[in-house]
Amino acid sequence: MFKTLRNRLIFSYTLIILLCLSLAGFSALILIRHYQRELALVQRRAVASTVSQRLAFYATQLHSAELFDRVQEEAVSLGVRLLVVSAEGIVLRDTEKEGSLEGAQIRIPIQKILDDRQRPLILPYTAKNGQDFFLVIAPIRLFPQSDDQTPPTSQARFVMLAVPVRDIQPPWRELATPLIASGAIALVVSTIVAFFLSNSITRPLAAITRATEAMARGDYQQSISVAGEDEIARLATGFNRMARAVEQARQSQRDFLANVSHDLRTPLTSIRGFAQAILDGQVSDTEGYIHAAAIIQEEAGRMSDLVEELLDLARLEAGNVKMARERLDLTALVRSSIEARTPQAVAAGVTLRAEGTGVPAVIGDESRLKQVFDNLLDNAIKYTPSGGTVTVSIRQDGKWVAVAVADTGRGIPREDLPRIFERFYRADKSRGETVGAGLGLAIVKEIVSAHGGRITVESEEGQGSVFTVFLPPADKPLPK
């Protein structure tokens, strides 16, 4: 029953509501009971005070039959039980014959009663038969008497209104049934509300659960509809981002396998073909051997470069590459990369030029940063047609030192821009060009990030691309 989150939520809500209703109902009954008892005792006080005043006329005939008859008449007319008590606490008269208290002694605070003549005193009392009473005690005043006079203590007489405790308790009990019925109705309504509320919480969670199970089975095309801005909505949004990232990673792996397989197949085919030619005796002269060996060496070098790039990227992503911390003249470093790539640019018919000087020094690894600019320049030259221009500009950009590599090449398709720095990703695969495994820009991004910087790209098809590297100046330390 409680295996699902929805059932546990419904049970929790119902239990909390039941506890709150029980506490509220119990507290209400206690308050009502107390209020009813106090109200009943106040009414009895008024009755006792009235009776004591009426009996004052007979105070001089305390033992006469007329006094006791008068007490009996008052008890009958008011429907109460009255006691007449002496100053010693002896019950002189009890209007109730069954279980009469006549002759019993009741300890009463005489002086307190006489001092507070306007307010009859209430005392709890338990008879010998175990019956519990509230005794409402008022003095019987003597006449003639002024307001500031009290009778001598030895002559004091008291009238007591004996109220059985059981006569006061029942009224509040009558409210228990309607209160319980109201609580039951409230509990049912609250449970229904809890059901719909729990559904509103668990429905998106169930959708996320189904989506994760589908992803575990290999179906990565999952998306959860998002409504609202609460924690569940943020969870669904986070799941959608994760699903997209997983799908992109999966696609990148597929691309990598396809690209690397292609890049490895070509040199392996060449190596195998020339090796087989040598074994079959098809190469018989020295010139042929030299040519075959050169081809094998070249293709093996391509394979070695590819494997080295893979290992380099893996080390960078794992953070296992320790960057040097040297103070570098970025202008000189960039110009060094430009000079190294000038022959390549000349061979491709591309004009290579530099702009900007006087930027702050940076802290970093010279060989790694040179690798960044060499890669960007190499790509720019490769993708710029003959007669085009590659411009490298160095400038201060706010708190950053920026190096921009701009070309007038064919540009990058808009749909490829968000993924251009992903490992194993190559843009414009439809052209069938195999100029690498798509690892260069991923390596560049990792190196720049390791230096506390960032890299951006702007491109428009037919207009060229601009890659900009932002590095912190020397007053900002290299991240550890």
Side-chain angles (χ1 to χ4, degrees):
M1 178 180 178
F2 301 118
K3 291 184 179 179
T4 64
L5 177 61
R6 185 186 67 175
N7 288 344
R8 288 199 295 270
L9 285 174
I10 293 174
F11 176 76
S12 300
Y13 291 150
T14 304
L15 182 61
I16 292 172
I17 293 166
L18 180 60
L19 290 175
C20 291
L21 287 175
S22 300
L23 289 174
F26 181 75
S27 301
L29 287 176
I30 293 297
L31 292 174
I32 291 172
R33 176 186 177 186
H34 178 75
Y35 172 76
Q36 288 181 337
R37 190 182 72 174
E38 290 299 316
L39 180 61
L41 292 177
V42 167
Q43 293 172 345
R44 268 57 170 194
R45 266 201 186 103
V47 172
S49 180
T50 301
V51 171
S52 69
Q53 293 174 9
R54 291 177 182 174
L55 294 178
F57 178 77
Y58 300 94
T60 56
Q61 304 174 11
L62 289 175
H63 296 285
S64 66
E66 290 84 355
L67 173 61
F68 295 142
D69 290 342
R70 181 63 179 175
V71 170
Q72 189 68 39
E73 291 173 5
E74 291 286 343
V76 172
S77 64
L78 297 173
V80 296
R81 181 178 181 178
L82 296 176
L83 308 177
V84 178
V85 183
S86 67
E88 293 79 15
I90 304 299
V91 178
L92 304 176
R93 183 71 174 184
D94 186 348
T95 60
E96 185 69 33
K97 300 304 181 183
E98 184 178 353
S100 176
L101 298 176
E102 288 184 9
Q105 186 173 17
I106 301 173
R107 293 185 179 181
I108 56 178
I110 298 174
Q111 195 59 49
K112 183 177 181 180
I113 296 172
L114 295 176
D115 291 342
D116 191 8
R117 292 178 297 170
Q118 302 298 323
R119 182 180 175 84
L121 182 67
I122 298 176
L123 292 177
Y125 176 74
T126 302
K128 290 182 178 180
N129 60 3
Q131 189 175 6
D132 294 322
F133 294 92
F134 285 113
L135 300 179
V136 186
I137 310 170
I140 300 175
R141 300 181 183 181
L142 301 176
F143 287 96
Q145 175 183 330
S146 63
D147 290 340
D148 59 351
Q149 290 179 332
T150 59
T153 301
S154 60
Q155 298 179 16
R157 295 295 181 268
F158 304 91
V159 62
M160 291 186 181
L161 183 62
V163 183
V165 172
R166 65 173 180 271
D167 292 347
I168 297 179
Q169 302 293 2
W172 72 268
R173 294 178 182 172
E174 296 175 359
L175 296 174
T177 300
L179 280 175
I180 292 174
S182 300
I185 295 173
L187 181 62
V188 171
V189 174
S190 301
T191 302
I192 294 173
V193 173
F195 174 80
F196 288 104
L197 180 61
S198 62
N199 266 353
S200 68
I201 295 174
T202 57
R203 190 181 301 111
L205 292 178
I208 293 174
T209 302
R210 289 192 297 270
T212 54
E213 291 172 347
M215 290 182 67
R217 293 191 298 269
D219 182 5
Y220 297 99
Q221 299 291 335
Q222 300 296 322
S223 180
I224 307 297
S225 60
V226 180
E229 299 180 355
D230 57 7
E231 290 81 358
I232 301 296
R234 291 202 296 272
L235 175 62
T237 302
F239 174 84
N240 290 337
R241 285 199 297 266
M242 181 196 70
R244 287 193 295 270
V246 170
E247 176 60 21
Q248 289 173 359
R250 186 166 172 267
Q251 183 62 44
S252 295
Q253 289 177 353
R254 287 198 297 263
D255 294 342
F256 164 70
L257 291 175
N259 293 331
V260 171
S261 297
H262 182 272
D263 289 344
L264 288 176
R265 185 182 298 113
T266 301
L268 284 174
T269 301
S270 297
I271 292 172
R272 184 177 180 180
F274 279 97
Q276 189 66 43
I278 294 173
L279 290 174
D280 293 343
Q282 297 178 12
V283 179
S284 56
D285 57 353
T286 303
E287 185 179 350
Y289 279 111
I290 293 175
H291 177 69
I295 295 297
I296 291 174
Q297 183 182 29
E298 180 183 354
E299 297 301 336
R302 288 178 57 188
M303 292 176 59
S304 177
D305 290 343
L306 176 60
V307 172
E308 189 61 36
E309 281 187 343
L310 287 171
L311 293 175
D312 196 23
L313 179 59
R315 287 193 296 265
L316 286 168
E317 289 180 336
N320 295 330
V321 178
K322 208 160 183 79
M323 297 290 174
R325 297 171 181 268
E326 303 171 346
R327 188 180 182 89
L328 303 175
D329 183 347
L330 196 59
T331 302
L333 180 62
V334 171
R335 290 187 180 278
S336 173
S337 291
I338 293 174
E339 291 174 3
R341 293 294 167 181
T342 297
Q344 178 186 356
V346 171
V350 175
T351 302
L352 188 59
R353 64 185 184 188
E355 296 177 351
T357 55
V359 296
V362 298
I363 299 295
D365 189 310
E366 182 176 4
S367 63
R368 286 294 181 176
L369 289 177
K370 190 173 187 304
Q371 182 181 355
V372 168
F373 301 123
D374 284 347
N375 186 286
L376 294 178
L377 285 170
D378 181 64
N379 286 344
I381 294 170
K382 283 179 180 177
Y383 292 107
T384 300
S386 179
T389 303
V390 174
T391 303
V392 182
S393 59
I394 308 172
R395 68 182 187 276
Q396 178 87 34
D397 191 333
K399 297 181 179 180
W400 300 92
V401 178
V403 179
V405 178
D407 62 64
T408 57
R410 65 193 183 205
I412 301 171
R414 184 179 300 274
E415 63 272 14
D416 288 324
L417 283 176
R419 301 186 60 189
I420 198 68
F421 293 108
E422 290 181 15
R423 56 190 182 277
F424 317 132
Y425 188 79
R426 293 192 301 183
D428 203 11
K429 296 178 285 294
S430 62
R431 303 195 180 204
E433 298 182 9
T434 57
V435 292
L439 299 174
L441 289 178
I443 293 174
V444 165
K445 183 180 180 182
E446 291 295 333
I447 294 174
V448 173
S449 297
H451 282 78
R454 58 189 175 89
I455 182 170
T456 63
V457 59
E458 298 175 8
S459 184
E460 186 175 345
E461 287 192 87
Q463 301 297 321
S465 306
V466 180
F467 286 83
T468 307
V469 176
F470 296 89
L471 294 171
D475 58 338
K476 291 186 178 180
L478 188 66
K480 295 182 179 180

